[in-house]
Amino acid sequence: TEVIIMALIVLARRRDIIFARALPISLAVFLVWSLASVGWSSYAPQTIAGVALQWVLTFLALGMAATRDSIQIIRAVGSALRVTLGISLGLELLSGIIVREPFSVWGIAGNIAVGGPIQGVTGSRNALATMAVIALITFAIELRTKSVTKRVGVFSIVGAAIVVLLTQAPLAWVASVVVGVMGLIIYVLRRVRESVRLGAQLGVVGVVVIGAVLAWVFRGPLIVLFSAQGTMAFRVELWQRVWQLAQAKPVTGWGYVGEWPTRNAVFGYINTGLSQPHSSALNSYLDVLFQLGAVGLAILCAVLGIALVRSWIMATGRKSSVFVWAPLVLTTLLVASLLESTLLGEWGWLILVLVVARASRDLPWRRDPQTPEEGAAPKPP
């Protein structure tokens, strides 16, 4: 139904859409590689289903990005997150305080009475925490741009902050710190003189590279520190099994499925003997390496890197606060993907494509020859 509605919207607004900018090249290459994995997949029916879902979500996100401006997208994401977090918090209150019985269908244990952890309807507390951090960013931008009333904006921010606290997810604290530092840097760079902005940005890049190297060197202690308590041994065992299978097909991978199917010999082997079966590798990058090989991971890194650079340039160089949303949300997804397969989930992939498509549309490297550049004076008749 959503695909049909979006197709009608695109058809109705086809004259306003710049199709040359609608689909970023790097994203198109990744989609084609996912589709091509059907040819060598060890589980072709599940790969076809996974690729079909991926393409459907991509079409919906591209349609939104092409037919709505940035503030409309932020408002739409904000409204969806308000509903999702509200339902999650309401069910947790109903389960833990009113009914005092777990809701096993959603995996809700009713721990809110003792301060958490909670997971709502997202399936895990890390997923709910990631969604709440994105919500905090979105609500702050809405309040900053006066897209919502002050009362709605403040209550939304407070509610999202409460959800972050109740998840008790160390991943949320890491993402919040990284996003906070990035937001502060963007704030400073937006206010420096344009003549020194390039030098300042290069300095920031140098600091980020050094930080990334240090994080890699001390990755063991950092993973132990930031991972949820009591689950580190499980994660390591899961990653080792996925890594062993990834080495069997290092270039092309086993075939794309997105979230793991429940009835499959390959994924059944990974989950055999584990205390709790999972539908992902709990790491987006390792999951992509396993499903699409080194080629797929390289393409995905290109998609993320190009989008981050584009959104960063717009956030530091343009006056409107709406451009700050994309790099902060993308950073949250990148950090969350270290301990969850966020990028392969439905909502994670949808938001990623939204950010990538808007970054490509707002700062294109190729232009439609029949369309004048933005800001250019119209030609005289």
Side-chain angles (χ1 to χ4, degrees):
T1 303
E2 292 177 349
V3 170
I4 293 174
I5 294 174
M6 182 57 69
L8 294 175
I9 293 175
V10 171
L11 182 63
R13 301 195 58 182
R14 61 187 182 277
R15 295 181 180 178
D16 301 326
I17 298 175
I18 306 175
F19 288 97
R21 306 181 195 175
L23 178 61
I25 295 177
S26 57
L27 180 61
V29 174
F30 185 78
L31 292 171
V32 171
W33 185 254
S34 298
L35 179 62
S37 70
V38 175
W40 61 78
S41 173
S42 302
Y43 31 79
Q46 289 90 343
T47 298
I48 293 174
V51 171
L53 178 59
Q54 181 193 51
W55 281 54
V56 165
L57 294 170
T58 302
F59 173 71
L60 294 175
L62 292 177
M64 286 186 282
T67 58
R68 297 292 182 266
D69 58 28
S70 296
I71 191 60
Q72 289 175 323
I73 291 175
I74 293 173
R75 285 293 310 278
V77 172
S79 298
L81 290 175
R82 259 186 287 269
V83 172
T84 304
L85 296 184
I87 292 176
S88 297
L89 195 57
L91 289 175
E92 289 284 353
L93 289 170
L94 185 64
S95 172
I97 297 179
I98 300 176
V99 180
R100 296 187 179 181
E101 290 289 339
F103 294 161
S104 57
V105 65
W106 293 294
I108 296 176
N111 294 325
I112 193 172
V114 294
I118 66 172
Q119 68 175 43
V121 295
T122 61
S124 73
R125 60 173 176 172
N126 281 331
L128 182 61
T130 303
M131 195 175 290
V133 173
I134 295 177
L136 281 172
I137 299 169
T138 306
F139 299 156
I141 297 297
E142 284 183 327
L143 191 60
R144 172 70 178 174
T145 57
K146 298 181 180 180
S147 302
V148 296
T149 63
K150 187 175 181 179
R151 177 178 297 179
V152 171
V154 172
F155 275 112
S156 299
I157 291 174
V158 171
I162 291 174
V163 172
V164 171
L165 293 174
L166 290 175
T167 58
Q168 294 186 7
L171 176 61
W173 299 111
V174 179
S176 298
V177 170
V178 174
V179 168
V181 172
M182 189 173 184
L184 179 61
I185 294 174
I186 292 176
Y187 177 83
V188 173
L189 290 178
R190 286 168 63 91
R191 280 154 179 78
V192 300
R193 296 193 306 274
E194 191 171 352
S195 57
V196 300
R197 182 176 298 159
L198 178 59
Q201 288 180 333
L202 293 177
V204 171
V205 172
V207 172
V208 170
V209 171
I210 294 174
V213 172
L214 292 176
W216 174 256
V217 172
F218 298 101
R219 61 189 181 277
L222 287 175
I223 291 176
V224 174
L225 177 63
F226 295 142
S227 179
Q229 297 178 355
T231 64
M232 194 60 237
F234 168 78
R235 288 178 182 272
V236 171
E237 184 179 4
L238 177 63
W239 291 343
Q240 287 175 343
R241 292 190 181 188
V242 175
W243 175 250
Q244 289 175 355
L245 289 179
Q247 288 179 314
K249 298 183 178 181
V251 178
T252 60
W254 288 74
Y256 183 84
V257 291
E259 295 184 359
W260 296 354
T262 54
R263 298 180 180 180
N264 183 277
V266 176
F267 301 102
Y269 164 76
I270 297 176
N271 283 315
T272 300
L274 296 179
S275 59
Q276 180 182 357
H278 270 268
S279 60
S280 73
L282 299 183
N283 183 298
S284 294
Y285 313 108
L286 181 59
D287 225 339
V288 172
L289 178 65
F290 167 62
Q291 297 184 31
L292 294 175
V295 176
L297 181 59
I299 299 173
L300 178 64
C301 290
V303 173
L304 299 174
I306 293 172
L308 187 60
V309 170
R310 278 172 162 164
S311 59
W312 177 270
I313 292 175
M314 290 186 296
T316 57
R318 299 194 181 183
K319 294 182 179 181
S320 177
S321 300
V322 298
F323 295 107
V324 179
W325 181 79
L328 296 184
V329 169
L330 184 56
T331 300
T332 304
L333 292 176
L334 295 180
V335 174
S337 294
L338 294 172
L339 293 177
E340 293 286 337
S341 294
T342 307
L343 298 181
L344 300 184
E346 295 181 10
W347 66 269
W349 178 255
L350 185 74
I351 294 180
L352 173 64
V353 175
L354 272 176
V355 172
V356 170
R358 283 306 308 182
S360 176
R361 178 182 171 87
D362 293 334
L363 191 64
W365 292 349
R366 67 190 191 281
R367 299 185 181 276
D368 186 348
Q370 297 179 350
T371 304
E373 296 187 6
E374 295 181 6
K379 294 182 179 181

